[in-house]
Amino acid sequence: MAQEAQQNGNKDEALSIFSKYQSSFARRLKKPEAMSMLMTEFNLTEIEAQIFFQAFDKDKNDVLSLWEFRQFYQTIGANAHDMIELFRKLEKDNSGNVDIDKAFEALKNVDSGKGKLSEEEIAMFLKTTAGESKTIDLHKFLNMMCRLKVYKGVE
């Protein structure tokens, strides 16, 4: 256990947070515990926590595994509230969808895994995120921001 809490010599913060809400050694949190963790540890409202839970419960089993939580923590973590605020700033007339033009401008200032994005890369991210509906709701927005964080560019 002590060795598991160490990762490259650093304390494993994701495991520390996750462990506070575990009721067994299964390394899984049922939805109520996971929601409580997201609201308490990341200062999210119940609705925001619900959206993050749905986005990261990859197998849609209403359980957040340690692996799924690590994905959340490594790509969003402490920035969860900031991402929600950014979405709200980019939202078009309280429609639940971002204004694509505002998002294009905002993404010019966002760092990806490779640094600043080119206009072509921004257009690609927005187009692939919006899809056929040509809309980006909060769930799609969070997914896009996670993809941006790990994006390294095309070689």
Side-chain angles (χ1 to χ4, degrees), residues 73-85:
Y73 192 78
Q74 291 168 356
T75 56
I76 295 176
N79 297 319
H81 205 67
D82 295 339
M83 279 196 192
I84 298 280
E85 284 183 23

Side-chain angles (χ1 to χ4, degrees), residues 27-42:
R27 297 283 189 243
R28 298 161 56 90
L29 296 178
K30 291 181 180 164
K31 189 173 183 177
E33 292 81 17
M35 292 284 294
S36 176
M37 175 186 63
L38 291 169
M39 290 186 297
T40 304
E41 301 291 333
F42 300 96

Side-chain angles (χ1 to χ4, degrees), residues 51-52 76 83-84 138-146:
I51 291 166
F52 279 108
I76 295 176
M83 279 196 192
I84 298 280
L138 181 55
H139 189 98
K140 286 181 177 179
F141 181 77
L142 296 173
N143 181 285
M144 177 182 72
M145 296 304 286
C146 290

Side-chain angles (χ1 to χ4, degrees), residues 77-121:
N79 297 319
H81 205 67
D82 295 339
M83 279 196 192
I84 298 280
E85 284 183 23
L86 178 58
F87 175 83
R88 296 289 179 232
K89 284 181 191 169
L90 301 175
E91 191 175 10
K92 187 176 190 172
D93 303 324
N94 292 322
S95 65
N97 292 299
V98 298
D99 178 308
I100 300 291
D101 293 330
K102 281 186 186 174
F104 187 88
E105 289 305 312
L107 291 179
K108 289 179 179 179
N109 300 314
V110 170
D111 282 323
S112 71
K114 72 161 205 157
K116 300 290 183 215
L117 299 170
S118 69
E119 290 193 358
E120 293 79 21
E121 289 169 319

Side-chain angles (χ1 to χ4, degrees), residues 29-32 34-38 44-65 67-69 71-72 76 84 137-143 146:
L29 296 178
K30 291 181 180 164
K31 189 173 183 177
M35 292 284 294
S36 176
M37 175 186 63
L38 291 169
L44 299 174
T45 66
E46 187 172 352
I47 292 168
E48 293 164 348
Q50 174 75 28
I51 291 166
F52 279 108
F53 181 86
Q54 289 173 336
F56 286 90
D57 178 19
K58 299 297 185 191
D59 53 7
K60 307 296 179 212
N61 65 349
D62 276 348
V63 172
L64 195 66
S65 69
W67 182 87
E68 290 166 331
F69 177 66
Q71 298 307 303
F72 163 81
I76 295 176
I84 298 280
D137 62 12
L138 181 55
H139 189 98
K140 286 181 177 179
F141 181 77
L142 296 173
N143 181 285
C146 290

